[in-house]
Amino acid sequence: MLKTIQCDKFIENDQIRPPIVFKAGLNTILGDEYASNSIGKSTFLMILDFVFGGDDYVRKSIDVQAHIGPHHIEFSFEFEDGMHYFSRSTDNFSIIHVCNANYQVEKKISKDTYTTFLSQKFNLDLPDLTLRNAIGRFFRIYGRETLDPKYPLQQAIREPQQMGIDALLKLFDRYEAVKRQKEVTAEAVLKEKTFKSAQRYHYLPSVSNKIQYTKNEKRILELEAEIKRLIKESTHGFSQLETLQTESTLELQQQLKVEKRHYINLINELNTMENRPHKQNAFQKDYDKLQSFFPGIDMRKLEDIERFHHKMGQILKNEFKEKTASLQSMINLSAERIAQLELKITEIGNAPHLTQVVLTKHYQKQKERTQLQAANKSYDTLETLKRETKLLKQLLDELTLEIISQTETDINAVMNSLNKHMSNSKTAPHLTIRDANRYTFSTPNDRGTGSEYKGLILFDLVVLALTSLPLLVHDSVLLKQIEDRTLEAILRLYTQTQKQVFIVLDKQSSFSKDMQSILEKTEVLRLFSGGGELFGTAWNKNTR
């Protein structure tokens, strides 16, 4: 669990604050009796997000960065194997410092390495689930895009609902079966797509529709009848055998030559794709040198540019991967065609009977028949691929809906149970996952603001209880909308978990004595106006 946070910029009455110490269960950040704004309550929650690998403290708390300037946040975690100490700077926040107990830096690691470490320690190293994808949705802080009570799985406003549903299934460790089925389905889709591409670029024959397919079948029968008739009526003797064999062999060898050239071109193109440089420039390593030449340079902008380049590189990498798979499929098709041509050449060379030689004399009719048969076979193959893809997509949808339905049922059952403990007379919030791409969340017959935020909090508590999610962060913007009696019941629910919950509340004295007692026992930080702000001062006052 998170044990401490400290910073030499945290000031109270002109003195550096001692380390802020956290505990299992509820951790409360209290404001003053006036519910003063701009004293650092939400900012401190943003720092919590920063400690857990988020970037919003730097990117969205612009006023803090402008008035405080670059600073280091030092923090520690306590796990079964002991204490771990780290620090992170606001001016180079892609790097995490691994420290000793005195916060002396021992080594530097990337943010990805750090979050992977936390995932393992929190037992969150589930298939395809990153730490940020797991916990980022449950840091409900003013200024972040996670406060919409209608979309509890949303991590960003423009994020597709499918990503939130996938993240939920991963948290419940129910995504692995869906992932495997997705991979099988994606392979089938790629096969179909590659086959269509081969037809479009004339690497394979094609038939446009069923009508053309039927016409081809009719013409094939006609050609077979003509070939039989020509063989029967033929009066050519064995003397022409060698000449006819040579003509047919030369024709096939010319086709083989063209096909082999095409095969080599595909191989060369694949080698070029596979030998392309994969590693991106490690521009980060040159930051210090660059800063020594240009002391005033804005490193954050350079980091934004580097992240953009990284995203573009990832897109190109995916395109290269898809293109490589398509090329490999076309290489396989070309190799099969080469083998077929070589077999025909061998058969003609070994022709023991005059009948086979006669057939080669009428090669054009035979060639037409072969082309039509290949086109119809190609049509049949594509139809088979389409059926397989459709079936696999259907199986994926059915499997996903089954897993989704079970997850939805589990969540709603526990939300209903918790809601009954809070109030038997009020309806419970309800999650409806319509399919793999859409969901709705609301409290039936109660669309009040307080009810919606209560529903959001209950949803979070259920996910906390049923999964490996290690913590929740709830800003006062959620809690202050809820009536006191319901809020007191929520506070009791917070205290019943051994996982960490961080909340912000104001006006402690306005609550019942029981609630005040809970807040006093769980207080880890108290902020107030007039020297008790997080950074010792407020910069929103008019000094004119």
Side-chain angles (χ1 to χ4, degrees):
M1 70 173 184
L2 179 64
K3 191 63 178 177
T4 63
I5 291 180
Q6 62 189 54
C7 176
D8 60 5
K9 301 295 183 180
F10 292 171
I11 305 295
E12 181 179 359
N13 295 328
D14 299 325
Q15 300 292 323
I16 297 176
R17 291 179 183 270
I20 302 162
V21 181
F22 306 102
K23 63 196 83 173
L26 181 60
N27 295 267
T28 304
I29 294 90
L30 287 174
D32 58 25
E33 295 303 313
Y34 306 101
S36 300
N37 294 320
S38 301
I39 59 177
K41 295 171 293 186
S42 295
T43 298
F44 185 75
L45 297 186
M46 281 289 201
I47 291 171
L48 281 174
D49 182 63
F50 188 67
V51 164
F52 280 89
D55 297 338
D56 283 350
Y57 175 57
V58 175
R59 299 185 183 282
K60 295 185 177 182
S61 301
I62 305 299
D63 55 339
V64 175
Q65 311 311 321
H67 289 86
I68 301 302
H71 53 285
H72 286 76
I73 305 294
E74 299 171 342
F75 43 96
S76 66
F77 289 90
E78 184 177 15
F79 298 113
E80 290 182 358
D81 61 346
M83 297 294 297
H84 297 266
Y85 302 88
F86 305 92
S87 69
R88 190 180 182 193
S89 170
T90 59
D91 59 346
N92 190 6
F93 54 91
S94 61
I95 296 297
I96 308 295
H97 300 103
V98 180
C99 306
N100 60 23
N102 296 319
Y103 289 102
Q104 296 170 326
V105 177
E106 295 183 338
K107 64 177 180 178
K108 298 179 181 180
I109 59 175
S110 69
K111 188 176 72 170
D112 287 344
T113 300
Y114 168 71
T115 53
T116 299
F117 165 82
L118 290 185
S119 290
Q120 294 170 347
K121 292 299 182 182
F122 283 118
N123 296 318
L124 264 176
D125 50 339
L126 300 170
D128 291 308
L129 182 66
T130 65
L131 179 79
R132 292 304 305 172
N133 197 21
I135 68 174
R137 303 170 192 280
F138 301 93
F139 276 75
R140 305 199 187 276
I141 309 168
Y142 178 78
R144 298 192 79 240
E145 298 173 352
T146 54
L147 291 173
D148 192 333
K150 294 182 177 64
Y151 300 103
L153 297 174
Q154 176 178 279
Q155 187 161 222
I157 290 176
R158 289 175 293 279
E159 181 185 67
Q161 291 187 24
Q162 176 193 356
M163 294 181 68
I165 295 171
D166 283 352
L168 185 66
L169 296 182
K170 292 172 185 177
L171 260 177
F172 274 80
D173 198 11
R174 293 173 177 172
Y175 188 73
E176 184 64 20
V178 175
K179 177 191 175 184
R180 288 197 300 268
Q181 189 62 39
K182 279 186 175 182
E183 290 172 348
V184 173
T185 304
E187 184 178 355
V189 170
L190 178 60
K191 285 182 180 178
E192 181 183 338
K193 184 177 179 180
T194 301
F195 200 88
K196 287 179 179 178
S197 297
Q199 289 183 326
R200 185 167 63 252
Y201 293 107
H202 307 295
Y203 298 137
L204 286 175
S206 62
V207 175
S208 57
N209 50 52
K210 188 66 176 178
I211 295 175
Q212 184 62 48
Y213 180 92
T214 304
K215 288 181 179 179
N216 287 355
E217 288 286 290
K218 182 179 179 182
R219 179 58 180 157
I220 289 169
L221 293 174
E222 292 174 353
L223 287 168
E224 288 176 345
E226 290 177 13
I227 290 170
K228 289 179 181 179
R229 177 179 56 80
L230 289 169
I231 294 172
K232 185 177 181 180
E233 294 176 355
S234 176
T235 57
H236 292 286
F238 287 95
S239 62
Q240 293 180 314
L241 174 59
E242 185 177 349
T243 302
L244 294 174
Q245 285 177 321
T246 302
E247 290 176 356
S248 299
T249 301
L250 287 173
E251 178 75 24
L252 290 170
Q253 285 176 340
Q254 181 61 32
Q255 292 183 43
L256 181 60
K257 182 180 179 181
V258 172
E259 190 62 43
K260 283 185 174 180
R261 187 184 302 118
H262 171 59
Y263 178 83
I264 291 171
N265 289 338
L266 289 173
I267 290 290
N268 290 337
E269 187 174 354
L270 180 62
N271 289 337
T272 301
M273 296 282 292
E274 291 179 341
N275 293 330
R276 69 182 182 84
H278 293 283
K279 296 184 70 175
Q280 298 182 11
N281 292 331
F283 185 63
Q284 178 67 43
K285 295 180 180 178
D286 296 327
Y287 278 0
D288 293 339
K289 294 181 180 179
L290 185 63
Q291 200 166 25
S292 67
F293 285 106
F294 303 99
I297 193 168
D298 189 342
M299 302 306 293
R300 284 195 296 258
K301 290 184 178 179
L302 291 177
E303 289 169 348
D304 288 340
I305 293 171
E306 186 177 6
R307 273 187 293 275
F308 171 76
H309 288 163
H310 177 74
K311 290 180 181 178
M312 291 300 296
Q314 189 62 44
I315 292 171
L316 291 174
K317 181 179 177 181
N318 292 337
E319 291 180 354
F320 275 121
K321 184 177 180 181
E322 184 175 340
K323 178 66 174 177
T324 300
S326 179
L327 280 171
Q328 187 60 60
S329 296
M330 287 190 282
I331 287 170
N332 295 339
L333 291 171
S334 181
E336 183 179 347
R337 174 65 176 157
I338 289 171
Q340 291 172 350
L341 289 169
E342 289 176 340
L343 179 61
K344 287 183 179 180
I345 292 171
T346 301
E347 289 175 348
I348 291 174
N350 297 330
H353 301 297
L354 179 60
T355 303
Q356 290 174 293
V357 180
V358 172
L359 285 174
T360 61
K361 180 180 177 182
H362 309 290
Y363 183 73
Q364 290 303 319
K365 292 187 181 297
Q366 188 186 45
K367 180 180 178 181
E368 181 184 355
R369 182 187 67 175
T370 301
Q371 289 174 338
L372 293 175
Q373 287 174 331
N376 277 14
K377 181 181 179 182
S378 181
Y379 179 87
D380 289 336
T381 301
L382 182 57
E383 289 300 304
T384 299
L385 290 174
K386 287 180 179 178
R387 286 193 297 272
E388 289 177 353
T389 301
K390 182 178 179 181
L391 176 60
L392 288 171
K393 286 182 176 179
Q394 181 180 344
L395 291 174
L396 174 60
D397 289 342
E398 290 173 357
L399 175 64
T400 304
L401 285 175
E402 180 182 348
I403 293 174
I404 281 174
S405 177
Q406 184 59 56
T407 305
E408 174 189 301
T409 299
D410 292 345
I411 291 173
N412 287 330
V414 180
M415 279 199 299
N416 188 59
S417 176
L418 291 180
N419 189 73
K420 283 183 178 179
H421 285 296
M422 295 174 63
S423 172
N424 285 319
S425 62
K426 293 188 177 181
T427 55
H430 191 83
L431 174 69
T432 303
I433 308 179
R434 302 185 182 281
D435 52 43
N437 303 305
R438 296 176 302 155
Y439 73 92
T440 58
F441 184 79
S442 64
T443 301
N445 305 315
D446 191 349
R447 298 303 175 91
T449 303
S451 177
E452 289 192 334
Y453 280 119
K454 180 199 79 173
L456 183 60
I457 292 168
L458 283 182
F459 174 82
D460 287 359
L461 285 168
V462 169
V463 176
L464 187 72
L466 297 181
T467 72
S468 297
L469 184 71
L471 77 162
L472 298 177
V473 178
H474 288 166
D475 206 342
S476 59
V477 68
L478 279 71
L479 301 171
K480 68 183 180 182
Q481 306 289 343
I482 300 171
E483 62 182 11
D484 290 350
R485 184 176 59 181
T486 302
L487 181 57
E488 188 166 338
I490 289 174
L491 280 178
R492 289 197 173 91
L493 291 176
Y494 283 149
T495 61
Q496 292 173 11
T497 179
Q498 286 302 302
K499 296 181 179 181
Q500 289 186 299
V501 178
F502 302 87
I503 67 168
V504 168
L505 270 178
D506 295 305
K507 297 182 178 180
Q508 177 185 357
S509 63
S510 65
F511 300 122
S512 69
K513 289 185 178 180
D514 286 344
M515 191 166 174
Q516 289 184 47
S517 176
I518 292 174
L519 295 178
E520 288 173 0
K521 291 178 181 178
T522 60
E523 176 190 337
V524 294
L525 176 64
R526 184 181 292 267
L527 300 173
F528 52 89
S529 182
E533 296 88 352
L534 180 62
F535 295 103
T537 186
W539 43 80
N540 65 337
K541 297 179 180 180
N542 190 344
T543 58
R544 292 184 297 175

